[in-house]
């Protein structure tokens, strides 16, 4: 036995910082702390900003699509065109050439349009849907034939955008001096003895313009300059201080001089090359606007019609019905299967390797990319079982498989949260295991299951990629009537429209997105409400 | 036919229930002994004994009848049509159309007789199904009525039926996986090894080829168009966009989660959480629209203003928006993990004089690291599999580049591009999409598997 000699404790030299040093260090540590906290808050704010930017951007884009412009005009329902033999046979009434009537009404409203090109331009201001609307009105009430009615005629998408302020900013200022027109229509020359155009040449001189024997040649890449005189409108193509040449867009009442305030310079703000509505069409639209017939309505058509190649006629009804049918299939499949599967796994499954595989499998399925489910649908449902393409039935099946793991996981969590005492009490009173589960546990777990279901359905509602695989991407005008009709769904409609070049379709895409988000918000709101109202903490 | 059969099925099921309930309640009231099971259980058992065989007969029978009708109709055609998959397929389509009265144009005599055989077999089969179904139903009904006795354990029997149904429902998840693996895997195998497929690549050629051009010759005289199935450009494109997305979402999501878990007041959490949930709930097609319409021009404009040439469908724009999509994913998973770190660890650090940020950086984050890593892996797998954002905002050109300003394409974009529209199922091009799907499924599966392993391991440490 040896004595343990107590060793002296090793002396560690401690370098205590001075009070000043530790104060500085503390200061810098606190600065780091503040920076770190600000960084966290900053990233949270940035995320919020992203969301805000996204929602604001889409809402702003969508707003114009919720209104449409129509011109209320007198339309003469000429019996010779609509019902030549006077029998009011619906088949003949439906086949009549209503487009000629609406065109005639437009020509009456804007008189004096001559030349094929100008007439075609005028007709293009109106949508082809105006004739369809007129047909529907006549078919609904054949007694109107022969009368002249006031009828709101839908304008084309370009005209519509023009009135929504996307097009031209027209402005005018009075002229000074005297100008004389060489003719009342066609290509004319305006001459001025007192250099009345000098004001305009100064304005346009900042553009780098070519000269052509003393005159500046105006380009389509700059704002358009026009002159209004003698009740008509002339688009200038070449100007010099003392003269200007141009094309008459609206015929003058007479050739000859106009003095002082009797004539004006008119400017169409945006360059003609950059807009859908050219100067000729713009004069028609300005005229319609001046005569007070243009009317802005809420765009009900967007909700009541199917898809169309014409943006002003396209609506989301078909997509909404398709979505409804698809989700109906999804809901009626994945809720029973999901809930029963959850009950089995949570309450009855023996703890063995098979159950373990099923559990791992469900967790993995929840993370499989959605497009892979589309491949499954294509190979199994379409190719192997020969189900119809583009049908809500197949879409619903694929989406059901897609959201099944979500619902099983949510339902299991809800069942698990019911305390064992409930089961034990039921079993203690003589209930069988199944009676305890179906009569007592399931009702108590229901709010949680419903919440999970709604969230799963919201997920299904926004899903696009797998539906592209099974052909729900076709251009379909008709509203689907059954589960096996060709249909599309709202997200796919959004995808289809977003690919189209017309500005009006971009706005409609945004509007469809607003509708989709509104539905999602509604569903998530319902889920939160359910959770707060019914979910019990044990 | 289907509707009528199911109407009969429903009627018989309800009848069986009603009769069995009446019969058993009569015994219960009249007899001296009490029933073992409630009358309702006798009814339910009788109903299920009618319902299940009828359903099975319909499901199996209709498959059998179609197969029989098809093979008999096909046997009318000449041998060369029967042996060629393509020809027999189109012949069958004609037969079906003619039998359904939708055939356009004149039908050849062979076709007419084949269609007649087809409809005859279908008709015969329908009668057989009806007969067998109704017979089985009545047999089942008779059996269950005969067994109604006070001592009969109807509830036990019915509960075992329910148990089988429950098991079958849980099995759907397995079936889905089997379906995915079988369909994607068999098509992939055909893509690589089926000698009937023209222009198929070798496995190595696919995995390491650097050129992707799945163009198919439409006609024989266009045969000089060379298709190439090199996977590498798609892989780099996918990884590039995923990398950009993680660069955006990683720091933002993680820092947001840290702030929410450690600094935010309960009130702040109450408002910030829904914001993240809304962002998580926005459909990807909406984000794709935003990327294509707003972010891509912005990126392009910003690039132009500092003299960079940015492609109009740049990887950067798609990656940025994909990052937005992933932020809530990373932040909510990380938030859970950080909250699961025991408070005692923090208290220990505070007791040693650490500031809050020092505690987080040196104690909480290292403890939560496995969970955070798994969150990132799940986010990566989500980004790789994401389709709509890249379809709408990334390009189609398979450029082999790591320049984020160039247009790249991804696996999902190519799957979508190849498979949208009518496709023959026997061309190498279509099968290539399945091969890509297989790769996608496999990669995401592995990422998820590893991530789940990580989480489990981590949980064990602190529970």
């Amino acid at each position: 036995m040896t004595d343990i000699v107590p060793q002296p404790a090793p002396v560690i030299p401690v370098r205590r910082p001075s009070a000043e040093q530790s104060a500085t260090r503390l200061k810098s540590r606190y600065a780091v702390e503040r920076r770190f906290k600000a960084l966290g808050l900053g990233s949270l704010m940035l995320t919020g900003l992203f969301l805000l930017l996204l929602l604001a951007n889409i809402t702003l884009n969508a707003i114009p699509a919720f209104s449409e412009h129509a011109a209320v005009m007198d339309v003469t329902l000429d019996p010779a065109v609509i019902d030549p033999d006077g029998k009011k046979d619906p088949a003949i009434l439906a086949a009549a050439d209503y487009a000629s009537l609406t065109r005639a009404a437009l020509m009456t409203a804007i008189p004096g349009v001559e030349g094929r090109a100008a007439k075609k331009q005028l007709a293009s201001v109106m949508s082809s849907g105006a004739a369809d609307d007129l047909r529907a009105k006549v078919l609904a009430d054949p007694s109107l034939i022969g009368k002249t009615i006031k009828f709101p005629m839908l304008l084309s998408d370009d005209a519509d955008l023009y009135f929504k302020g996307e097009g031209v900013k027209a402005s005018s200022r009075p002229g000074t001096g005297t100008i004389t027109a060489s003719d009342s229509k066609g290509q004319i020359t305006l001459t001025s003895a007192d250099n009345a155009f000098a004001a305009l040449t100064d304005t346009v001189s900042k553009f780098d313009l070519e000269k052509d024997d003393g005159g500046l040649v105006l380009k389509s890449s700059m704002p358009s300059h026009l002159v209004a005189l003698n009740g008509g409108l002339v688009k200038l193509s070449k100007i010099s201080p003392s003269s200007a040449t141009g094309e008459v867009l609206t015929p003058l009442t007479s050739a000859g001089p106009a003095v002082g305030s009797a004539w004006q310079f008119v400017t169409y703000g945006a360059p003609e090359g950059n807009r859908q509505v050219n100067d000729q069409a713009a004069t028609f639209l300005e005229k319609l606007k001046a005569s007070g017939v243009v009317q802005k309505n809420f765009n009900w058509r967007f909700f009541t019609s199917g898809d169309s190649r014409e943006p002003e006629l396209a609506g989301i009804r078909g997509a909404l019905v398709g979505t409804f049918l698809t989700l109906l299939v999804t809901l009626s499949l994945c809720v029973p299967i999901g809930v029963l599967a959850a009950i089995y796994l949570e309450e009855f499954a023996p703890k063995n390797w098979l159950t373990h595989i099923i559990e791992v499998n469900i967790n993995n399925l929840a993370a499989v990319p959605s497009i892979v489910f589309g491949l499954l649908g294509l190979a199994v449902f379409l190719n192997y079982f020969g189900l119809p393409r583009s049908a809500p039935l197949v879409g619903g099946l694929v989406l059901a498989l897609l959201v099944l793991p979500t619902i099983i996981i949510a339902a299991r969590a809800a069942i698990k949260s019911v305390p064992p005492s409930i089961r034990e009490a039921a079993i203690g009173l003589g209930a069988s295991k199944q009676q305890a589960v179906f009569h007592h546990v399931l009702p108590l777990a229901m709010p949680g299951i419903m919440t999970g279901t709604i969230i799963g359905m919201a997920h299904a509602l926004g899903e696009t990629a797998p539906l592209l695989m099974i052909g729900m991407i076709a251009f379909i005008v008709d509203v689907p009537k059954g589960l096996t009709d060709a249909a599309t769904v709202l997200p796919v409609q959004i995808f289809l429209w977003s690919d189209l070049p017309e500005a009006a379709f971009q706005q409609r895409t945004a509007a469809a997105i607003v509708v989709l988000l509104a539905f999602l918000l509604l569903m998530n709101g319902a889920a939160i409400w359910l959770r707060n109202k019914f979910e019990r903490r044990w | 036919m289907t509707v009528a059969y199911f109407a009969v099925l429903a009627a018989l099921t309800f009848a069986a229930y009603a009769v069995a309930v009446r019969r058993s309640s009569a015994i219960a009231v009249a007899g001296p002994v009490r029933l073992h099971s409630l009358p309702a259980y006798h009814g339910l058992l009788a109903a299920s004994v009618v319902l299940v065989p009828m359903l099975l007969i319909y499901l199996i029978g209709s498959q059998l009848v179609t197969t029989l009708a098809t093979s008999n109709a096909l046997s009318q055609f000449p041998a060369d049509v029967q042996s060629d998959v393509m020809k027999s397929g189109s012949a069958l389509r004609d037969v079906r159309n003619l039998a359904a009265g939708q055939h356009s144009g004149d039908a050849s005599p062979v076709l007419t007789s084949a269609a007649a055989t087809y409809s005859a077999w279908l008709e015969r089969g329908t009668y057989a199904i009806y007969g067998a179904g109704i017979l089985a139903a009545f047999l089942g009904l008779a059996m269950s009525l005969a067994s109604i006795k006070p001592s009969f354990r109807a509830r036990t029997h019915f509960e075992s039926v329910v148990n089988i149904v429950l098991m079958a429902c849980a099995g759907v998840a397995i079936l889905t996986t089997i379906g995915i693996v079988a369909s994607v895997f068999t098509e992939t195998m055909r893509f690589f090894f089926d000698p009937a497929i023209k222009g198929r690549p070798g496995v190595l050629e696919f995995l390491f080829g650097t050129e992707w051009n799945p163009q198919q010759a439409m006609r024989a005289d266009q045969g000089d168009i060379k298709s190439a199935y090199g996977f590498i450009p798609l892989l780099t494109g996918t990884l590039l966009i995923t990398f950009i997305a993680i660069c955006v979402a990683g720091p933002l999501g993680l820092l947001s989660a840290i702030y929410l878990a450690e600094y935010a007041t309960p009130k702040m959490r109450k408002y910030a959480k829904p914001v993240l949930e809304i962002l998580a709930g926005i459909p990807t097609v909406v984000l794709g629209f935003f990327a294509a319409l707003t972010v891509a021009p912005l990126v392009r404009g910003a690039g132009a203003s500092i003299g960079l040439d940015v492609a109009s469908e740049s990887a950067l724009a798609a990656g940025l928006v994909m990052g937005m999509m992933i932020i809530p994913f990373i932040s909510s998973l990380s938030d859970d993990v950080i909250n699961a770190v025991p408070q005692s660890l923090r208290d220990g650090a505070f007791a040693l004089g650490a500031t809050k940020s020092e505690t987080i950086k040196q104690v909480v984050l290292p403890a939560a690291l496995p969970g955070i890593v798994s969150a990132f892996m799940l986010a990566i797998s989500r980004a790789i599999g994401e389709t709509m954002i890249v379809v709408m905002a990334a390009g189609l050109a398979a450029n082999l580049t790591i320049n984020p300003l160039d247009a790249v394409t991804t696996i999902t974009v190519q799957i979508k591009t190849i498979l949208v529209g009518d496709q023959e199922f026997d061309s190498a091009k279509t099968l290539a999409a399945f091969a890509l799907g297989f790769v996608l499924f496999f990669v995401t599966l592995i990422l998820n598997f590893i991530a789940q392993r990580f989480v489990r391991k981590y949980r064990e440490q602190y529970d």
Side-chain angles (χ1 to χ4, degrees):
Chain A
M1 215 175 111
T2 47
D3 286 330
I4 297 170
V5 184
Q7 299 278 328
V11 181
I12 302 168
V14 180
R15 287 179 49 201
R16 291 188 180 282
S18 68
E20 210 171 303
Q21 274 173 325
S22 66
T24 345
R25 219 176 74 144
L26 199 61
K27 215 170 160 187
S28 78
R29 282 172 65 202
Y30 282 163
V32 170
E33 170 76 26
R34 275 194 302 276
R35 273 203 299 277
F36 188 71
K37 192 175 171 184
L39 211 58
L41 188 62
S43 9
L44 202 58
M45 304 275 255
L46 198 59
T47 310
L49 194 70
F50 273 151
L51 182 68
L52 203 68
L53 193 70
L54 172 76
L55 294 182
N57 180 278
I58 285 178
T59 316
L60 285 180
N61 261 307
I63 287 171
F66 286 112
S67 61
E68 61 179 15
H69 282 89
V72 184
M73 289 181 193
D74 290 325
V75 183
T76 312
L77 298 171
D78 186 356
V81 175
I82 302 175
D83 194 17
D85 47 5
K87 286 185 196 147
K88 300 201 171 162
D89 177 4
I92 292 176
L93 294 188
D97 181 13
Y98 291 91
S100 68
L101 297 180
T102 52
R103 257 201 314 276
L106 197 61
M107 297 290 170
T108 332
I110 303 180
V113 179
E114 280 172 33
R116 240 178 95 80
K119 280 185 175 169
K120 210 170 156 192
Q121 189 77 67
L122 179 56
S124 78
V125 160
M126 194 173 54
S127 165
S128 64
D132 297 332
D133 289 350
L134 191 62
R135 171 180 300 124
K137 191 165 174 103
V138 170
L139 282 176
D141 183 7
S143 68
L144 292 174
I145 296 170
K147 293 179 187 157
T148 298
I149 56 169
K150 281 220 173 290
F151 186 71
M153 295 204 291
L154 186 67
L155 297 177
S156 73
D157 58 324
D158 291 334
D160 186 44
L161 287 182
Y162 179 86
F163 286 124
K164 283 168 183 165
E166 304 261 323
V168 187
K169 299 270 178 290
S171 60
S172 66
R173 58 195 160 107
T176 46
T178 308
I179 57 172
T180 312
S182 63
D183 197 353
S184 65
K185 58 189 176 200
Q187 283 287 340
I188 62 168
T189 309
L190 303 170
T191 45
S192 167
D194 44 7
N195 285 354
F197 298 113
L200 194 56
T201 48
D202 290 347
T203 327
V204 299
S205 59
K206 66 177 180 218
F207 294 96
D208 184 23
L209 296 176
E210 278 177 38
K211 282 201 172 174
D212 181 23
D213 44 275
L216 295 165
V217 181
L218 303 180
K219 296 189 289 192
S220 70
S221 58
M222 54 182 277
S224 303
H225 291 283
L226 302 92
V227 169
L229 78 163
N230 298 351
L233 202 56
V234 182
K235 183 190 172 186
L236 305 180
S237 55
K238 195 170 86 176
I239 51 171
S240 66
S242 63
S243 80
T245 36
E247 190 194 352
V248 176
L249 296 182
T250 313
L252 315 186
T253 46
S254 62
V259 187
S261 55
W263 66 278
Q264 290 113 34
F265 288 117
V266 177
T267 310
Y268 287 165
E272 189 177 16
N274 292 2
R275 51 186 146 95
Q276 295 292 325
V277 177
N278 65 15
D279 288 334
Q280 176 76 73
T283 56
F284 295 146
L285 293 174
E286 285 297 325
K287 225 169 188 183
L288 281 179
K289 195 173 165 186
S291 59
V293 298
V294 177
Q295 194 181 64
K296 187 176 181 179
N297 302 319
F298 184 76
N299 189 359
W300 289 111
R301 197 184 301 267
F302 184 65
F303 298 98
T304 56
S305 67
D307 197 3
S308 169
R309 293 278 183 228
E310 304 294 327
E312 73 274 12
L313 299 178
I316 54 171
R317 172 111 184 267
L320 281 181
V321 173
T323 302
F324 175 75
L325 292 174
T326 307
L327 287 190
L328 198 68
V329 174
T330 306
L331 189 70
S332 55
L333 280 175
C334 69
V335 170
I337 296 180
V339 172
L340 292 182
I343 290 176
Y344 178 74
L345 291 175
E346 204 55 50
E347 299 282 348
F348 297 108
K351 289 266 167 277
N352 58 17
W353 60 272
L354 189 65
T355 317
H356 182 68
I357 285 185
I358 294 180
E359 283 179 13
V360 171
N361 184 29
I362 287 172
N363 286 336
N364 278 328
L365 267 187
V368 168
S370 60
I371 195 168
V372 174
F373 283 92
L375 291 177
L376 170 76
L378 178 62
V380 174
F381 296 132
L382 295 190
N383 243 24
Y384 186 73
F385 287 119
L387 294 174
R389 275 183 91 83
S390 314
L393 177 67
V394 183
L397 279 170
V398 170
L399 290 183
L401 295 183
L402 181 69
V403 296
L404 196 58
T406 318
I407 292 188
I408 294 180
I409 291 169
R412 283 190 70 173
I415 293 169
K416 203 178 225 161
S417 72
V418 177
S421 57
I422 302 277
R423 293 176 192 83
E424 285 154 10
I427 290 171
L429 288 173
S432 71
K433 182 90 201 273
Q434 279 193 10
Q435 283 171 327
V437 169
F438 283 98
H439 297 176
H440 300 281
V441 175
L442 194 57
L444 289 173
M446 221 51 208
I449 293 176
M450 301 256 283
T451 311
T453 306
I454 294 175
I455 288 170
M457 294 313 283
H459 180 186
L461 174 60
E463 201 53 71
T464 320
L467 300 179
L468 301 182
M469 300 288 103
I470 54 162
M472 291 192 95
I473 191 175
F475 170 71
I476 293 152
V477 177
D478 295 325
V479 176
K481 293 195 176 57
L483 292 181
T484 51
D485 284 2
T488 189
V489 295
L490 202 48
V492 178
Q493 186 75 75
I494 289 168
F495 173 62
L496 282 170
W497 281 351
S498 73
D499 246 9
L500 299 171
E502 287 97 335
F505 266 127
Q506 297 295 339
Q507 295 173 350
R508 270 164 173 71
T509 312
I513 289 177
V514 168
V515 174
L516 179 67
L517 291 182
F519 273 114
L520 285 174
L521 207 65
L522 207 68
M523 289 171 86
N524 284 312
I528 291 169
W529 180 78
L530 262 176
R531 187 160 61 198
N532 291 343
K533 185 153 172 80
F534 291 109
E535 202 163 78
R536 257 200 260 180
R537 295 250 168 258
W538 301 90
Chain B
M1 130 98 194
T2 313
V3 177
Y5 188 86
F6 278 92
V8 171
L9 188 153
L12 284 177
T13 309
F14 277 112
Y17 176 80
V19 171
V21 167
R22 271 181 76 107
R23 195 61 89 73
S24 53
S25 6
I27 295 177
V29 175
V33 240
R34 284 179 43 184
L35 280 176
H36 166 270
S37 307
L38 292 170
Y41 278 103
H42 286 279
L44 285 171
L45 184 64
S48 54
V49 168
V50 170
L51 179 80
V52 173
M54 275 190 88
L55 263 183
L56 285 182
I57 285 175
Y58 180 79
L59 290 178
I60 298 170
S62 53
Q63 280 292 317
L64 203 67
V65 166
T66 321
T67 321
L68 276 177
T70 315
S71 65
N72 276 297
L74 205 60
S75 66
Q76 310 250 330
F77 286 97
D80 67 307
V81 174
Q82 287 186 39
S83 57
D84 188 334
V85 185
M86 300 280 282
K87 279 186 192 165
S88 64
S90 82
L92 276 178
R93 256 197 302 284
D94 285 344
V95 167
R96 285 203 193 103
N97 285 344
L98 190 62
Q102 291 168 342
H103 189 70
S104 52
D106 293 328
S108 65
V110 182
L111 188 57
T112 322
S113 83
T117 319
Y118 185 78
S119 348
W121 270 95
L122 270 194
E123 200 179 344
R124 245 174 276 167
T126 309
Y127 283 128
I129 292 176
Y130 262 90
I134 292 174
L135 189 69
F138 276 103
L139 268 179
L141 185 57
M143 238 170 64
S144 55
L145 288 186
S147 64
I148 295 180
K149 285 190 278 277
S151 62
F152 184 60
R153 294 166 179 263
R155 195 190 70 204
T156 322
H157 288 284
F158 178 68
E159 287 189 346
S160 52
V161 173
V162 170
N163 212 20
I164 292 171
V165 172
L166 291 182
M167 254 193 278
C169 286
V172 170
I174 293 265
L175 275 184
T176 310
T177 310
I178 293 175
I180 290 176
V181 172
S183 59
V184 176
F185 187 71
T186 48
E187 304 298 343
T188 308
M189 287 299 113
R190 283 180 65 201
F191 177 59
F192 288 125
F193 302 115
D194 189 345
I197 306 295
K198 291 183 197 72
R200 70 200 157 84
V203 177
L204 291 181
E205 205 181 316
F206 176 77
L207 285 181
F208 300 109
T210 55
E211 198 186 328
W212 177 265
N213 174 31
Q215 221 38 256
Q216 279 284 307
M218 303 302 269
R219 294 191 308 268
D221 56 311
Q222 291 178 325
D224 55 334
I225 298 176
K226 195 99 172 92
S227 7
Y229 298 98
F231 176 63
I232 295 292
L234 307 191
L235 184 69
T236 52
T238 307
L239 291 182
L240 177 62
I241 290 182
T242 306
F243 178 72
I244 297 168
I246 293 294
C247 284
V248 173
L252 284 181
L254 191 56
L255 285 171
S256 303
I258 291 173
Y259 187 83
L260 278 179
E262 301 286 341
Y263 289 106
T265 57
K267 200 172 167 188
M268 171 103 191
R269 263 180 92 86
K270 199 178 145 196
Y271 289 108
K273 276 249 161 189
V275 169
L276 289 170
E277 278 169 18
I278 290 174
L279 191 56
I282 287 184
T284 52
V285 68
V286 176
L287 292 172
F289 178 69
F290 181 63
L293 195 77
T294 311
V295 179
L298 260 174
V299 168
R300 199 174 150 79
S305 69
I306 54 169
L308 286 172
D309 186 24
V310 183
S312 63
E313 297 183 314
S314 62
L316 188 58
L320 282 176
V321 176
M322 179 119 49
M324 275 175 67
M325 178 195 86
I326 297 178
I327 290 174
F329 202 71
I330 289 188
S331 80
S332 82
L333 286 173
S334 309
D335 190 14
D336 292 347
V337 183
I338 291 170
N339 275 325
V341 173
Q343 185 62 29
S344 56
L345 295 188
R346 293 188 189 84
D347 294 344
F350 290 147
L352 289 175
T355 64
K356 207 157 187 177
S357 65
E358 286 162 356
T359 309
I360 293 166
K361 280 187 270 193
Q362 291 165 27
V363 176
V364 177
L365 285 187
L369 195 62
I372 291 171
V373 169
S374 85
F376 272 68
M377 292 178 86
L378 289 176
I380 291 172
S381 114
R382 182 64 68 97
I384 289 177
E386 169 48 37
T387 311
M388 292 322 291
I389 294 176
V390 279
V391 162
M392 293 164 89
L396 285 174
N399 297 325
L400 182 54
T401 174
I402 51 164
N403 179 1
L405 305 180
D406 270 350
V408 294
T409 192
T410 71
I411 300 174
T412 48
V413 172
Q414 289 303 322
I415 296 178
K416 180 256 159 195
T417 312
I418 290 174
L419 286 183
V420 165
D422 291 315
Q423 288 297 334
E424 296 171 23
F425 233 74
D426 293 307
S427 73
K429 190 178 166 187
T430 311
L431 294 179
F434 280 88
L436 292 180
F438 181 67
V439 172
L440 197 61
F441 179 70
F442 202 64
V443 168
T444 50
L445 195 71
I446 289 177
L447 279 172
N448 289 321
F449 195 71
I450 299 175
Q452 279 177 21
R453 266 292 160 88
F454 254 96
V455 171
R456 203 168 306 140
K457 202 173 164 193
Y458 159 74
R459 276 206 190 121
E460 281 163 7
Q461 270 179 356
Y462 289 110
D463 269 355

